[in-house]
Amino acid sequence: MEKKLKLKSISEAQGLFGPRDENIKIIENEFRVKLTLRGEYLKIAGSLNNINRAAAFIEQLLGDTDSQEKRLSKLEIYYMLKNFKGDKEHPGSEVVHILHRPSHAKAIGPKTKGQREYFEAIKKYDIVFGIGPAGTGKTYLAMACAVEALKNQEVRRIILTRPAIEAGESLGYLPGDMYEKISPYLRPLYDALYDMMEAERIEKYLETGIIEVAPLAYMRGRTLNDAFIILDEAQNATHEQMKMFLTRLGFDSKAVITGDITQSDLPGGKPAGLLKALQTIDNIKGIKIIYFSGQDVVRHELVQKIIEAYEKANHSR
């Protein structure tokens, strides 16, 4: 059997097919169909059930591939397929692009169900917790939302912070001044930032204080107004530090706290501030907690399997 879908333009076809038809090959293998482009029509051949499922998935993609800068990558196709298979009532996931990166054709946006819930929560709530394993995009998506908020003049500044935990080596014995000592702890935040903005603009914003990257300890005693604040690696914050941070929020500000409660580097015996905070603020309206799972990992496919294996091992203890 065959079914034809009409495409809007060549750009739409290019966005759907991907480089060297990579996307189409993935879709063909997934739904066991044959896809052929004839003029403005995409022909789908196969069994009736497979054709209908493939057509439903492709129709979800077509609305977001009508320009060159909205081309879908193999990674986006992969995770949209995963969501498609996991949600029978809503087959497929509309692609949401938060922002387009400089010098990159591919835009940034949520790729899994958990990431979409996280993205929507950040838009709706002033305080959002993103809790889950590495590779789920907690910090990266929060950073993208922060950059977009600054771009749209929703906030006047971005503040990025994380605890500086000594992991087996005392800061006092590391070479350099205090900034050089703490710089390695803040490097992941800089990496994400430079992936989303031009280097010249970042340097200018850092100099003028529009963007601030600092250890969590530097937040003490401050009131943060009209700002988008991200606390990364919050599992390494003590109870006192978490309380301090959560009470820094000023008017017209938004805070996103990310962490993995299974990966704390706090010295033995010290209570994890993130876990205590989650228990304390659980019933406060206006605060949203999003829990990610291994299904939301957007790194190498093996990373997801490794996380699931560790989760299974922990549950069996």
Side-chain angles (χ1 to χ4, degrees), residues 173-231:
Y173 290 98
L174 293 176
D177 58 21
M178 180 52 67
Y179 178 79
E180 291 171 326
K181 291 174 189 288
I182 64 176
S183 183
Y185 296 99
L186 305 176
R187 189 70 254 170
L189 295 176
Y190 283 108
D191 290 342
L193 189 58
Y194 276 91
D195 201 24
M196 298 176 190
M197 298 179 69
E198 299 86 353
E200 297 80 7
R201 179 170 295 182
I202 293 173
E203 298 301 330
K204 178 182 177 181
Y205 284 172
L206 288 170
E207 290 177 4
T208 57
I210 294 176
I211 295 178
E212 178 182 351
V213 185
L216 179 58
Y218 286 27
M219 299 297 109
R220 191 174 300 278
R222 303 175 61 182
T223 300
L224 307 175
N225 294 314
D226 203 12
F228 196 117
I229 312 133
I230 299 175
L231 170 56

Side-chain angles (χ1 to χ4, degrees), residues 16-54:
L16 175 64
F17 274 60
R20 298 180 297 278
D21 297 346
E22 290 177 344
N23 296 346
I24 288 297
K25 293 173 185 176
I26 294 172
I27 297 171
E28 285 180 331
N29 291 335
E30 178 65 31
F31 296 103
R32 297 181 182 179
V33 294
K34 177 65 177 176
L35 302 177
T36 308
L37 185 64
R38 292 287 183 268
E40 59 183 356
Y41 289 94
L42 178 67
K43 184 173 70 174
I44 309 173
S47 68
L48 179 60
N49 182 59
N50 290 349
I51 288 175
N52 289 338
R53 292 181 67 244

Side-chain angles (χ1 to χ4, degrees), residues 21 55 97 100 234 263 271 275:
D21 297 346
H97 290 321
H100 293 274
Q263 295 292 325
L275 187 58

